[in-house]
Amino acid sequence: MRRSVIHVVTSAVLLVSVHGVAWGVNPTGYGQAGGEYDVRIPRVPAGELAKAKKVRPPFDATPEVLAEGKAIFLGVGGCVSCHGAEGKGDGAAASNLPIQPRNFTNPKFHKLRTPGELMWVLKNGSMGQSGRVPGTGMLPVVQPKGFITEEQGWKALLYELSLGQ
Ligand code: HEC
């Protein structure tokens, strides 16, 4: 119930802000400080959420895995260009995006998401709030023939999750 109220409010804000903005959404002052979209709203569509939540990382966050994850985050994964070297969402490309990248050091974020939901986003990209907004810049980076493998994705995710602890 509470969630649907949030949806109604956010849709109204989106409609108002659509005018005159090339991207169709204006995140300035919207949602959280810095222009992140409201983190309380799941990025996985309702019909897939329960299943996504149950997906677990295939390995533990050992120091070796975290070191590999960091290398992927800063290197081949390209995450750093948007999420920033410290994962604060302030990478060089961030200011060009309509919606600001996730700040992985935000403790709220860690309480609200399971690793499985984050893997869903790596595979499908993020449409922001329940698919109601155009693409957010968070593209589907884990693809069979693209960018990074699922294993690399998990390592980068475990590294990101370690940033908020
Ligand atoms: C082109 C910029 C860009 C790149 C490159 C990028 N991201 Fe993102 N990322 C974003 C944006 C923007 C968001 C916020 C999307 C939203 O609010 O729904 C985001 C959100 C996320 C989220 C949070 C999703 C959620 O459920 O809240 C995760 C996890 C994530 N990114 C992981 C990664 C990883 C891992 C990489 C590197 C492999 C990466 N991102 C590369 C822009 C980027």
Side-chain angles (χ1 to χ4, degrees):
M1 186 61 192
R2 194 141 169 237
R3 189 154 282 162
S4 58
V5 171
I6 294 169
H7 274 174
V8 171
V9 172
T10 55
S11 310
V13 173
L14 281 179
L15 279 179
V16 170
S17 56
V18 151
H19 299 284
V21 180
W23 281 92
V25 266
N26 179 1
T28 310
Y30 176 77
Q32 298 171 296
E36 264 181 290
Y37 260 142
D38 194 332
V39 74
R40 293 168 299 184
I41 296 168
R43 297 315 196 243
V44 181
E48 295 178 53
L49 189 55
K51 199 175 155 208
K53 274 182 186 285
K54 286 195 200 123
V55 175
R56 300 258 175 260
F59 31 70
D60 293 331
T62 61
E64 292 75 23
V65 163
L66 293 182
E68 281 181 66
K70 183 176 184 178
I72 293 162
F73 183 88
L74 296 174
V76 65
C79 324
V80 63
S81 59
C82 294
H83 290 281
E86 291 163 18
K88 291 184 179 161
D90 56 356
S95 59
N96 295 324
L97 295 172
I99 289 151
Q100 290 306 286
R102 182 71 59 247
N103 174 359
F104 297 119
T105 65
N106 174 0
K108 224 183 208 172
F109 166 69
H110 295 269
K111 289 202 194 102
L112 290 168
R113 298 278 194 274
T114 68
E117 287 179 84
L118 302 182
M119 179 47 77
W120 189 96
V121 167
L122 291 196
K123 288 182 171 174
N124 298 280
S126 175
M127 295 297 283
Q129 307 188 345
S130 309
R132 278 166 193 256
V133 294
T136 62
M138 184 60 219
L139 305 170
V141 289
V142 168
Q143 292 288 317
K145 285 190 179 172
F147 245 104
I148 55 172
T149 65
E150 187 164 344
E151 190 183 316
Q152 287 173 314
W154 277 119
K155 287 176 179 167
L157 273 185
L158 290 172
Y159 170 66
E160 284 173 358
L161 289 170
S162 75
L163 295 172
Q165 283 162 7

